Amino acid sequence: MIKLQLKRIFKGSTYTIGKLYVNGEYFCDTLEDTDRGLTSEMPISKIKDIKIYGKTAIPTGTYKIVMNVVSETFKNRSWAKPYGGKLPRLVNVPGYEGVLIHVGNTADDTSGCLLVGRNKVVGKVTESTATFVELMNILRDDSTIEITIEYIWNLCLDGLMII
């Protein structure tokens, strides 16, 4: 089994930055839409009341990831073609459908999905394609994958980040 852990560390007004760990080891940074405090324990009705379509990070919680569904949106992208358009898909996310892990750089590139890369620029991830390929090399051969998404907010004082 492969266990992914996404620790959300910074909440911006239009995006959320996190750190992704694979089996307990830091792997890369992530970028998501705005975190609005959703959790997988909330009733669907509350999630739907809070969620803004295409602008809200998925609820915290633990989800299974499947690797056998073709993304109609991304299947023809150069970075998805080597995998037959099959991208990591989180399943049974309350109030969401089609949540993927994929390539992108800004919150405009995600509609509730997780973008992977390196957070070297404020509000963005860079090196996303190379990071995605590295992640796919880890994930594609294992049929049991899960991800836990949680908060580890940082306190920023005068430009210094305290974890």
Side-chain angles (χ1 to χ4, degrees):
M1 172 180 251
I2 295 178
K3 290 190 174 206
L4 302 180
Q5 184 178 31
L6 173 55
K7 296 180 180 184
R8 291 179 176 157
I9 63 166
F10 181 80
K11 179 180 174 181
S13 60
T14 59
Y15 64 92
T16 304
I17 297 294
K19 301 238 176 247
L20 183 67
Y21 296 79
V22 177
N23 295 328
E25 297 290 324
Y26 169 76
F27 179 76
C28 70
D29 301 318
T30 62
L31 185 128
E32 300 174 78
D33 285 316
T34 304
D35 184 294
R36 299 184 194 284
L38 302 179
T39 71
S40 60
E41 287 82 35
M42 287 179 168
I44 295 287
S45 58
K46 186 169 183 178
I47 289 172
K48 289 182 177 183
D49 285 345
I50 296 170
K51 177 183 173 185
I52 298 172
Y53 179 80
K55 298 190 180 293
T56 304
I58 67 170
T60 58
T62 299
Y63 306 103
K64 181 179 177 184
I65 294 178
V66 297
M67 301 291 293
N68 60 355
V69 180
V70 174
S71 166
E72 291 300 316
T73 302
F74 298 115
K75 68 181 179 184
N76 293 319
R77 303 280 175 98
S78 60
W79 48 266
K81 282 185 177 181
Y83 316 105
K86 295 177 182 176
L87 306 181
R89 180 179 299 263
L90 285 69
V91 293
N92 299 321
V93 179
Y96 289 70
E97 289 184 30
V99 177
L100 303 172
I101 299 175
H102 65 81
V103 170
N105 302 112
T106 70
D108 290 337
D109 299 329
T110 177
S111 291
C113 294
L114 308 175
L115 307 180
V116 293
R118 305 286 173 218
N119 180 226
K120 296 180 179 180
V121 179
V122 173
K124 297 182 178 183
V125 288
T126 61
E127 303 172 33
S128 188
T129 301
T131 304
F132 177 79
V133 169
E134 285 180 54
L135 184 61
M136 289 298 282
N137 287 335
I138 295 168
L139 299 183
R140 60 193 282 198
D141 293 327
D142 195 293
S143 60
T144 306
I145 307 165
E146 72 176 24
I147 185 167
T148 299
I149 300 171
E150 61 190 0
Y151 301 113
I152 308 286
W153 297 127
N154 290 332
L155 174 64
C156 294
L157 300 171
D158 297 325
L160 299 175
M161 192 168 286
I162 303 168
I163 299 178

